[in-house]
Amino acid sequence: MSDAATPTVVLERTGAVASIRIDRPRALNALDEATLRDLARALRDVRREGDVRCLLVTGSGPKAFCAGADIAAMAEMSPLDARAYSALGHEVFDRLAALDVPVVAAVNGAALGGGLELVLACDLVVASEHAKLGLPETSLGLIPGFGGTQRLALRIGVAPARELIYLGRVIDAAEALRIGLVDRVVAADALLPEATKLAGELAGRAPVALRAAKRLVGAAGRSDLASGLAREIDAFSATFASEDRTEGLRAFLEKRAPVWKGR
Ligand code: CO8
């Protein structure tokens, strides 16, 4: 459990990159209610800071990114309690997915159940070669309850999502890379440097353009193609009202690096 004196989520900032670390290593960073609330607070703080241009999400300790929802807590829950817990997880992960900056997950170990659902709410995923990923809820007589039935299918397709969820299969990083569940796999000691480098690269790119790209790509496949393409025309023309596009095109023509303002 966490309390005000011992928060289970650590928020740090290096330049334009904020990082959130789930810090409950004795329970393999499992997401009890207090940890979900600490995560919600950290996300609120990231939004309030205003000038964050990329967020990195990781877990404390060598073993786990996050071992999922708290199994001990769930053992005591009524269906009503479970509904509230599931809704809280959805609310927090929806807020993470809706952040208007790119989010990079650095998966340092097991990302299981709610832990993988946390990964699925992020934009890009860098995994340690030791990472294990899966939605094993059906092995516990449950189903994924923090968005996994939808976001896994959206990320890797319905057929491979069926196999992982129905069988509760836990896969290694190499297989996760092969099926498109993670984007990069690196040696364990290179994980944070690589993920931080990627976050820095994203933070250095045009914020207005990335914000629009994130919104549009995130909506792909969730509405009909014609509506998505129409939204792209709207967003494309809207970037022409930004200082960033004036700067980006001018910097290209002047053969210099652009200086983004984020507006
Ligand atoms: N919740 C609470 N505690 C946990 C969890 C968890 N999810 N996972 C591990 N722990 C605890 C263990 O109980 C243990 O505590 P203790 O030392 O007090 O006995 C400690 O962390 C270390 O764990 P292990 O000894 O098991 O470590 P191993 O290295 O042997 O194994 C594993 C690591 C493989 C990650 C193993 O711990 C494991 O399988 N954990 C469970 C993974 C899992 O099934 N996750 C899915 C949970 S269900 C879920 O996420 C549903 C999401 C939607 C919820 C909707 C709300 C209703």
Side-chain angles (χ1 to χ4, degrees):
M1 285 289 289
S2 91
D3 55 45
T6 56
T8 54
V9 171
V10 178
L11 172 60
E12 289 171 331
R13 176 84 189 261
T14 309
V17 177
S19 71
I20 280 178
R21 181 161 44 84
I22 312 292
D23 188 30
R24 206 186 159 217
R26 269 180 304 173
L28 302 187
N29 303 321
L31 299 168
D32 63 353
E33 186 183 329
T35 306
L36 283 174
R37 293 198 187 283
D38 285 346
L39 182 54
R41 266 189 291 275
L43 291 172
R44 184 200 57 199
D45 291 346
V46 167
R47 282 197 310 273
R48 281 192 183 159
E49 291 202 15
D51 54 351
V52 169
R53 291 190 176 174
C54 185
L55 174 66
L56 186 69
V57 178
T58 193
S60 285
K63 276 171 87 167
F65 171 80
C66 169
D70 192 293
I71 294 175
M74 285 192 296
E76 307 300 322
M77 283 181 190
S78 69
L80 259 185
D81 296 333
R83 186 179 183 86
Y85 185 39
S86 174
L88 174 64
H90 274 263
E91 189 186 322
V92 178
F93 289 9
D94 285 352
R95 279 193 220 162
L96 174 62
L99 271 190
D100 66 4
V101 297
V103 181
V104 175
V107 183
N108 51 305
L112 300 175
L116 179 55
E117 292 171 299
L118 176 59
V119 170
L120 291 167
C122 300
D123 294 296
L124 291 168
V125 187
V126 185
S128 148
E129 61 193 343
H130 302 311
K132 300 266 186 239
L133 304 98
L135 292 178
E137 285 91 339
T138 55
S139 311
L140 300 167
L142 311 171
I143 61 164
F146 290 161
T149 60
Q150 306 305 296
R151 290 200 174 100
L152 184 65
L154 278 168
R155 183 154 180 122
I156 64 170
V158 171
R162 273 196 192 107
E163 161 143 354
L164 284 188
I165 293 172
Y166 292 4
L167 296 172
R169 275 190 66 218
V170 173
I171 60 175
D172 63 18
E175 185 172 355
L177 183 65
R178 191 174 55 70
I179 64 172
L181 181 53
V182 307
D183 302 298
R184 301 178 186 186
V185 175
V186 298
D189 58 1
L191 178 69
L192 276 183
E194 283 295 323
T196 303
K197 191 167 142 220
L198 175 61
E201 196 181 322
L202 290 162
R205 298 184 60 75
V208 171
L210 279 196
R211 203 178 302 142
K214 173 166 178 167
R215 204 178 57 245
L216 290 162
V217 175
R222 292 186 215 181
S223 66
D224 65 289
L225 180 61
S227 317
L229 293 174
R231 278 198 300 275
E232 184 184 275
I233 295 173
D234 290 343
F236 181 78
S237 59
T239 60
F240 277 69
S242 71
E243 290 181 36
D244 279 358
R245 92 73 209 205
T246 308
E247 169 64 6
L249 298 183
R250 188 174 290 154
F252 177 85
L253 295 172
E254 294 171 358
K255 301 188 190 306
R256 60 173 175 82
V259 181
W260 307 118
K261 294 225 172 84
R263 53 179 192 259

